[in-house]
Amino acid sequence: MNEGTIYASLVRLQHRRLIKTAWGTSENNRRAKYYSLTRTGEKALVAEAANWERLASVIGRVLATSEGGTNR
């Protein structure tokens, strides 16, 4: 991913109030913008992770069935 793609994604997440930003100082003493999840973002992450697990499980079962030869 390039910087423009990442920045655009961060802006979208911020507009949806899933992340918040704060300015600080980096380890090498430079000004840096830090991102963190909001409570809404944490809830959205849990929901998306659960959706991903369900999807991965279904795809795993489909692949296991097709590899077993019962769906050919």
Coordinates of all heavy atoms in Angstrom, one line a residue:
M1 N 0.8 -1.2 0.0 CA 0.0 0.0 0.0 C 0.9 1.2 0.0 O 1.9 1.3 0.7 CB -0.9 0.0 1.3 CG -1.9 -0.9 1.3 SD -2.8 -0.6 2.9 CE -4.4 -1.1 2.5
N2 N 0.4 2.2 -0.7 CA 1.2 3.5 -0.7 C 0.6 4.4 0.4 O -0.5 4.2 1.0 CB 1.2 4.1 -2.0 CG -0.2 4.6 -2.5 OD1 -1.0 5.0 -1.7 ND2 -0.4 4.5 -3.8
E3 N 1.3 5.5 0.7 CA 0.9 6.4 1.8 C -0.5 7.0 1.5 O -1.3 7.2 2.4 CB 1.9 7.5 1.9 CG 3.2 7.1 2.5 CD 4.2 8.2 2.6 OE1 3.8 9.3 2.7 OE2 5.4 7.8 2.6
G4 N -0.8 7.3 0.2 CA -2.1 7.9 -0.1 C -3.3 7.0 0.2 O -4.3 7.4 0.7
T5 N -3.1 5.7 0.0 CA -4.1 4.7 0.3 C -4.3 4.6 1.8 O -5.5 4.6 2.3 CB -3.7 3.4 -0.3 OG1 -3.5 3.5 -1.7 CG2 -4.8 2.3 0.0
I6 N -3.3 4.6 2.5 CA -3.4 4.4 4.0 C -4.0 5.7 4.6 O -4.9 5.6 5.4 CB -2.0 4.2 4.6 CG1 -1.5 2.8 4.2 CG2 -2.0 4.3 6.1 CD1 -0.1 2.5 4.5
Y7 N -3.6 6.9 4.1 CA -4.1 8.1 4.6 C -5.6 8.2 4.3 O -6.4 8.6 5.2 CB -3.3 9.3 4.0 CG -3.9 10.6 4.6 CD1 -3.5 11.1 5.8 CD2 -4.7 11.4 3.8 CE1 -4.0 12.3 6.4 CE2 -5.2 12.6 4.3 CZ -4.8 13.0 5.6 OH -5.3 14.2 6.1
A8 N -6.0 7.9 3.1 CA -7.4 8.0 2.8 C -8.2 7.0 3.7 O -9.3 7.4 4.1 CB -7.6 7.6 1.3
S9 N -7.7 5.9 4.0 CA -8.4 4.9 4.8 C -8.5 5.5 6.2 O -9.6 5.4 6.9 CB -7.7 3.6 4.9 OG -7.7 3.0 3.6
L10 N -7.4 6.1 6.7 CA -7.5 6.6 8.1 C -8.5 7.8 8.2 O -9.2 7.9 9.2 CB -6.1 7.1 8.5 CG -5.1 6.0 8.8 CD1 -3.7 6.6 8.9 CD2 -5.4 5.2 10.0
V11 N -8.6 8.6 7.1 CA -9.5 9.7 7.1 C -10.9 9.2 7.1 O -11.8 9.7 7.9 CB -9.3 10.6 5.9 CG1 -10.4 11.6 5.7 CG2 -8.0 11.4 6.0
R12 N -11.2 8.1 6.4 CA -12.6 7.5 6.4 C -12.9 7.0 7.7 O -14.0 7.2 8.2 CB -12.7 6.4 5.3 CG -12.9 6.9 3.9 CD -13.3 5.8 3.0 NE -12.3 4.8 2.8 CZ -11.3 4.8 2.0 NH1 -11.1 5.8 1.2 NH2 -10.5 3.8 2.0
L13 N -12.0 6.3 8.4 CA -12.2 5.7 9.7 C -12.5 6.9 10.7 O -13.3 6.7 11.6 CB -11.0 4.9 10.1 CG -10.8 3.6 9.4 CD1 -9.5 2.9 9.8 CD2 -12.0 2.6 9.7
Q14 N -11.7 7.9 10.6 CA -11.9 9.1 11.5 C -13.3 9.7 11.3 O -14.0 10.1 12.2 CB -10.8 10.1 11.3 CG -10.8 11.2 12.3 CD -9.6 12.1 12.2 OE1 -8.8 12.0 11.3 NE2 -9.4 12.9 13.2
H15 N -13.7 9.9 10.0 CA -15.0 10.5 9.7 C -16.1 9.6 10.3 O -17.2 10.1 10.7 CB -15.2 10.7 8.2 CG -14.5 11.9 7.8 ND1 -15.1 13.0 7.3 CD2 -13.2 12.2 7.7 CE1 -14.2 13.9 6.9 NE2 -13.0 13.4 7.2
R16 N -15.9 8.3 10.3 CA -16.9 7.3 10.8 C -16.8 7.2 12.4 O -17.5 6.5 13.0 CB -16.8 6.0 10.2 CG -17.1 6.0 8.7 CD -16.8 4.7 8.0 NE -17.5 3.6 8.7 CZ -17.2 2.3 8.5 NH1 -16.1 2.0 7.7 NH2 -17.8 1.3 9.1
R17 N -15.9 8.0 13.0 CA -15.7 8.0 14.4 C -15.2 6.7 15.0 O -15.6 6.3 16.1 CB -16.9 8.5 15.2 CG -17.3 9.9 14.8 CD -18.4 10.5 15.7 NE -19.1 11.7 15.3 CZ -18.6 12.9 15.0 NH1 -17.3 13.0 15.0 NH2 -19.4 13.9 14.7
L18 N -14.5 5.9 14.1 CA -14.0 4.6 14.6 C -12.6 4.8 15.2 O -12.1 3.9 15.9 CB -14.0 3.7 13.4 CG -15.4 3.4 12.8 CD1 -15.2 2.4 11.6 CD2 -16.3 2.8 13.9
I19 N -11.9 5.9 14.8 CA -10.6 6.1 15.3 C -10.5 7.6 15.7 O -11.3 8.4 15.3 CB -9.4 5.8 14.3 CG1 -9.5 6.7 13.1 CG2 -9.4 4.3 14.0 CD1 -8.3 6.6 12.2
K20 N -9.5 7.9 16.6 CA -9.3 9.3 17.0 C -7.8 9.6 16.8 O -7.0 8.6 16.8 CB -9.7 9.6 18.4 CG -9.1 8.7 19.5 CD -9.7 9.0 20.8 CE -9.1 8.0 21.8 NZ -9.8 8.1 23.1
T21 N -7.4 10.8 16.7 CA -6.0 11.2 16.5 C -5.5 12.1 17.6 O -6.3 12.8 18.3 CB -5.9 11.9 15.2 OG1 -6.6 13.1 15.2 CG2 -6.3 11.1 14.0
A22 N -4.2 12.0 17.8 CA -3.6 12.9 18.8 C -2.2 13.2 18.3 O -1.5 12.3 17.7 CB -3.5 12.3 20.2
W23 N -1.7 14.4 18.4 CA -0.4 14.8 18.1 C 0.5 14.5 19.2 O 0.2 14.7 20.4 CB -0.3 16.2 17.7 CG -0.9 16.5 16.3 CD1 -2.1 17.0 16.1 CD2 -0.3 16.2 15.1 NE1 -2.3 17.0 14.7 CE2 -1.2 16.6 14.1 CE3 1.0 15.7 14.7 CZ2 -0.9 16.5 12.7 CZ3 1.2 15.6 13.3 CH2 0.3 16.0 12.3
G24 N 1.7 14.0 18.9 CA 2.7 13.7 20.0 C 4.1 13.8 19.4 O 4.3 14.3 18.3
T25 N 5.1 13.3 20.1 CA 6.5 13.3 19.7 C 6.9 11.9 19.5 O 6.7 11.1 20.4 CB 7.4 14.0 20.7 OG1 6.8 15.4 20.9 CG2 8.8 14.2 20.2
S26 N 7.5 11.6 18.4 CA 8.0 10.3 18.1 C 9.3 10.0 18.8 O 9.9 10.8 19.5 CB 8.2 10.1 16.6 OG 9.4 10.9 16.2
E27 N 9.8 8.7 18.7 CA 11.0 8.3 19.4 C 12.2 9.1 19.0 O 13.1 9.3 19.7 CB 11.2 6.8 19.2 CG 10.2 5.9 19.9 CD 10.4 4.5 19.6 OE1 11.4 4.1 18.8 OE2 9.6 3.6 20.1
N28 N 12.2 9.5 17.7 CA 13.3 10.3 17.2 C 13.1 11.8 17.3 O 13.6 12.6 16.6 CB 13.7 9.9 15.8 CG 12.6 10.0 14.8 OD1 11.5 10.4 15.2 ND2 12.8 9.7 13.6
N29 N 12.2 12.2 18.2 CA 11.9 13.6 18.6 C 11.3 14.4 17.5 O 11.5 15.6 17.4 CB 13.2 14.2 19.1 CG 12.9 15.1 20.3 OD1 11.9 15.0 20.9 ND2 13.8 16.1 20.5
R30 N 10.5 13.8 16.7 CA 9.8 14.5 15.6 C 8.3 14.5 15.9 O 7.8 13.6 16.6 CB 10.0 13.8 14.3 CG 11.4 13.8 13.8 CD 11.7 13.1 12.5 NE 11.0 13.8 11.4 CZ 11.0 13.4 10.2 NH1 11.6 12.3 9.9 NH2 10.4 14.1 9.3
R31 N 7.6 15.5 15.4 CA 6.2 15.6 15.6 C 5.5 14.5 14.8 O 5.8 14.2 13.7 CB 5.7 17.0 15.1 CG 4.3 17.2 15.4 CD 3.9 18.7 15.1 NE 2.5 18.9 15.5 CZ 1.7 19.6 14.8 NH1 2.0 20.2 13.7 NH2 0.4 19.8 15.2
A32 N 4.5 13.8 15.5 CA 3.9 12.6 14.9 C 2.4 12.6 15.3 O 2.0 13.1 16.3 CB 4.6 11.3 15.4
K33 N 1.6 12.1 14.3 CA 0.2 11.9 14.6 C 0.0 10.5 15.0 O 0.4 9.6 14.3 CB -0.6 12.3 13.3 CG -2.0 12.5 13.5 CD -2.7 13.0 12.2 CE -3.9 13.8 12.4 NZ -4.5 14.2 11.1
Y34 N -0.7 10.3 16.1 CA -1.0 8.9 16.6 C -2.5 8.7 16.4 O -3.3 9.5 16.7 CB -0.6 8.8 18.0 CG 0.9 8.9 18.2 CD1 1.6 10.1 18.4 CD2 1.7 7.7 18.1 CE1 2.9 10.1 18.6 CE2 3.0 7.7 18.2 CZ 3.7 8.9 18.5 OH 5.0 9.0 18.6
Y35 N -2.8 7.4 16.1 CA -4.2 7.0 15.9 C -4.5 5.9 16.9 O -3.7 5.1 17.2 CB -4.4 6.4 14.5 CG -4.1 7.4 13.4 CD1 -2.9 7.6 12.9 CD2 -5.2 8.2 12.9 CE1 -2.7 8.5 11.9 CE2 -5.0 9.1 11.9 CZ -3.7 9.3 11.4 OH -3.5 10.2 10.4
S36 N -5.8 6.0 17.4 CA -6.3 5.0 18.4 C -7.7 4.7 18.1 O -8.4 5.6 17.6 CB -6.0 5.4 19.8 OG -6.7 6.6 20.1
L37 N -8.2 3.5 18.5 CA -9.6 3.2 18.3 C -10.4 3.9 19.4 O -10.0 4.1 20.5 CB -9.8 1.7 18.6 CG -9.3 0.7 17.4 CD1 -9.4 -0.7 17.9 CD2 -10.1 1.0 16.2
T38 N -11.6 4.3 18.9 CA -12.6 4.8 19.9 C -13.4 3.6 20.4 O -13.2 2.5 19.9 CB -13.6 5.8 19.2 OG1 -14.3 5.0 18.1 CG2 -12.8 7.0 18.6
R39 N -14.3 3.9 21.3 CA -15.2 2.8 21.8 C -16.0 2.2 20.7 O -16.2 1.0 20.5 CB -16.1 3.2 22.9 CG -15.4 3.4 24.2 CD -16.3 3.7 25.4 NE -15.6 3.9 26.6 CZ -15.9 4.7 27.5 NH1 -17.0 5.4 27.4 NH2 -15.2 4.8 28.6
T40 N -16.5 3.1 19.8 CA -17.3 2.7 18.7 C -16.4 1.8 17.7 O -16.8 0.8 17.2 CB -17.8 3.9 17.9 OG1 -18.6 4.7 18.8 CG2 -18.7 3.5 16.7
G41 N -15.1 2.3 17.6 CA -14.2 1.5 16.7 C -13.9 0.1 17.3 O -13.8 -0.8 16.5
E42 N -13.8 0.0 18.6 CA -13.6 -1.3 19.2 C -14.7 -2.2 19.0 O -14.5 -3.4 18.7 CB -13.3 -1.1 20.7 CG -12.0 -0.4 21.0 CD -11.8 -0.1 22.5 OE1 -12.7 -0.5 23.3 OE2 -10.8 0.5 22.9
K43 N -16.0 -1.7 19.1 CA -17.1 -2.5 18.9 C -17.2 -2.9 17.4 O -17.5 -4.1 17.1 CB -18.4 -1.7 19.2 CG -18.6 -1.5 20.7 CD -19.8 -0.7 21.0 CE -19.9 -0.3 22.5 NZ -21.0 0.6 22.8
A44 N -16.9 -2.0 16.5 CA -16.9 -2.3 15.1 C -15.8 -3.4 14.8 O -16.1 -4.3 14.0 CB -16.6 -1.1 14.2
L45 N -14.7 -3.3 15.4 CA -13.6 -4.3 15.2 C -14.0 -5.7 15.6 O -13.8 -6.6 14.9 CB -12.3 -3.8 15.9 CG -11.1 -4.8 15.8 CD1 -10.7 -5.0 14.4 CD2 -10.0 -4.3 16.6
V46 N -14.7 -5.7 16.8 CA -15.2 -7.0 17.3 C -16.2 -7.6 16.3 O -16.1 -8.8 16.0 CB -15.8 -6.9 18.7 CG1 -16.5 -8.1 19.1 CG2 -14.7 -6.6 19.7
A47 N -17.1 -6.8 15.8 CA -18.1 -7.2 14.9 C -17.5 -7.7 13.6 O -17.9 -8.8 13.0 CB -19.2 -6.1 14.6
E48 N -16.6 -6.9 13.1 CA -15.9 -7.3 11.8 C -15.1 -8.6 12.0 O -15.0 -9.4 11.1 CB -15.0 -6.2 11.3 CG -15.8 -5.0 10.8 CD -16.6 -5.3 9.6 OE1 -16.2 -6.2 8.7 OE2 -17.7 -4.7 9.4
A49 N -14.4 -8.7 13.1 CA -13.6 -10.0 13.4 C -14.6 -11.2 13.4 O -14.2 -12.2 12.9 CB -12.9 -9.8 14.7
A50 N -15.7 -11.0 14.0 CA -16.7 -12.1 14.1 C -17.2 -12.5 12.7 O -17.3 -13.7 12.3 CB -17.9 -11.8 15.0
N51 N -17.5 -11.4 11.9 CA -17.9 -11.7 10.5 C -16.8 -12.4 9.7 O -17.1 -13.3 8.9 CB -18.3 -10.4 9.8 CG -19.6 -9.8 10.3 OD1 -20.5 -10.5 10.7 ND2 -19.7 -8.5 10.1
W52 N -15.6 -12.0 9.9 CA -14.5 -12.6 9.2 C -14.3 -14.1 9.6 O -14.1 -15.0 8.8 CB -13.2 -11.9 9.5 CG -12.0 -12.6 8.9 CD1 -11.1 -13.4 9.5 CD2 -11.6 -12.6 7.5 NE1 -10.2 -13.8 8.6 CE2 -10.5 -13.4 7.4 CE3 -12.1 -12.0 6.4 CZ2 -9.8 -13.6 6.2 CZ3 -11.5 -12.2 5.2 CH2 -10.4 -13.0 5.1
E53 N -14.5 -14.4 10.9 CA -14.4 -15.8 11.4 C -15.5 -16.6 10.7 O -15.2 -17.7 10.3 CB -14.5 -15.8 12.9 CG -13.3 -15.3 13.6 CD -12.0 -16.1 13.3 OE1 -12.1 -17.3 13.2 OE2 -10.9 -15.5 13.3
R54 N -16.7 -16.1 10.7 CA -17.8 -16.8 10.1 C -17.5 -17.1 8.6 O -17.7 -18.2 8.1 CB -19.1 -16.1 10.2 CG -19.7 -16.3 11.6 CD -21.2 -15.8 11.6 NE -21.3 -14.4 11.4 CZ -21.2 -13.4 12.3 NH1 -20.9 -13.7 13.5 NH2 -21.3 -12.1 12.0
L55 N -17.1 -16.1 7.9 CA -16.8 -16.2 6.5 C -15.6 -17.2 6.2 O -15.7 -18.1 5.4 CB -16.4 -14.8 5.9 CG -16.0 -14.8 4.4 CD1 -17.2 -15.3 3.5 CD2 -15.6 -13.4 4.0
A56 N -14.6 -17.1 7.0 CA -13.4 -18.0 6.9 C -13.8 -19.4 7.2 O -13.4 -20.4 6.5 CB -12.3 -17.6 7.8
S57 N -14.7 -19.6 8.1 CA -15.2 -21.0 8.5 C -16.0 -21.6 7.3 O -15.8 -22.7 7.0 CB -16.1 -20.9 9.7 OG -16.6 -22.1 10.0
V58 N -16.9 -20.8 6.7 CA -17.7 -21.3 5.6 C -16.8 -21.6 4.4 O -16.9 -22.7 3.8 CB -18.7 -20.2 5.2 CG1 -19.4 -20.6 3.9 CG2 -19.8 -20.1 6.3
I59 N -15.8 -20.7 4.1 CA -14.9 -21.0 3.0 C -14.1 -22.3 3.3 O -13.9 -23.1 2.4 CB -14.0 -19.8 2.7 CG1 -14.9 -18.7 2.1 CG2 -12.9 -20.1 1.8 CD1 -14.2 -17.3 2.0
G60 N -13.6 -22.4 4.5 CA -12.9 -23.6 4.9 C -13.7 -24.9 4.7 O -13.2 -25.9 4.2
R61 N -15.0 -24.8 5.1 CA -15.8 -26.0 4.9 C -16.0 -26.3 3.4 O -16.0 -27.5 3.0 CB -17.1 -25.8 5.6 CG -17.0 -26.0 7.1 CD -18.4 -25.9 7.7 NE -18.9 -24.6 7.5 CZ -19.7 -23.9 8.3 NH1 -20.1 -24.4 9.4 NH2 -20.0 -22.7 8.0
V62 N -16.2 -25.3 2.6 CA -16.4 -25.5 1.2 C -15.1 -26.1 0.6 O -15.2 -27.0 -0.2 CB -16.7 -24.1 0.4 CG1 -16.6 -24.3 -1.1 CG2 -18.1 -23.7 0.9
L63 N -14.0 -25.6 0.9 CA -12.7 -26.1 0.4 C -12.5 -27.5 0.9 O -12.0 -28.4 0.1 CB -11.5 -25.2 0.8 CG -11.5 -23.8 0.2 CD1 -10.4 -23.0 0.7 CD2 -11.4 -24.0 -1.4
A64 N -12.8 -27.8 2.1 CA -12.6 -29.2 2.6 C -13.5 -30.2 1.9 O -13.1 -31.3 1.6 CB -12.9 -29.2 4.1
T65 N -14.8 -29.7 1.6 CA -15.7 -30.6 0.9 C -15.3 -30.8 -0.5 O -15.3 -31.9 -1.0 CB -17.1 -29.9 0.9 OG1 -17.5 -29.7 2.2 CG2 -18.1 -30.8 0.2
S66 N -14.8 -29.8 -1.2 CA -14.4 -29.9 -2.6 C -13.1 -30.7 -2.7 O -12.9 -31.5 -3.6 CB -14.2 -28.6 -3.2 OG -13.1 -27.8 -2.7
E67 N -12.2 -30.6 -1.7 CA -11.0 -31.5 -1.7 C -11.3 -32.9 -1.4 O -10.6 -33.8 -1.8 CB -10.0 -30.9 -0.6 CG -9.4 -29.6 -1.0 CD -8.6 -29.0 0.1 OE1 -8.5 -29.6 1.2 OE2 -8.0 -27.9 -0.1
G68 N -12.4 -33.2 -0.6 CA -12.7 -34.5 -0.3 C -13.4 -35.3 -1.5 O -13.6 -36.5 -1.4
G69 N -13.8 -34.5 -2.5 CA -14.3 -35.1 -3.7 C -15.8 -35.3 -3.7 O -16.4 -35.8 -4.6
T70 N -16.5 -34.8 -2.6 CA -18.0 -35.0 -2.6 C -18.7 -33.9 -3.4 O -19.9 -34.0 -3.7 CB -18.5 -34.9 -1.1 OG1 -18.1 -33.7 -0.6 CG2 -17.9 -36.1 -0.4
N71 N -18.0 -32.8 -3.8 CA -18.7 -31.7 -4.5 C -18.2 -31.6 -6.0 O -18.4 -30.6 -6.6 CB -18.4 -30.4 -3.8 CG -19.6 -29.9 -3.1 OD1 -20.6 -30.5 -3.0 ND2 -19.5 -28.7 -2.5
R72 N -17.6 -32.6 -6.5 CA -17.1 -32.5 -7.8 C -18.1 -33.0 -8.9 O -18.9 -33.8 -8.8 CB -15.8 -33.2 -8.0 CG -14.7 -32.5 -7.2 CD -13.4 -33.1 -7.4 NE -12.5 -32.4 -6.6 CZ -11.2 -32.6 -6.6 NH1 -10.6 -33.5 -7.4 NH2 -10.4 -32.0 -5.8

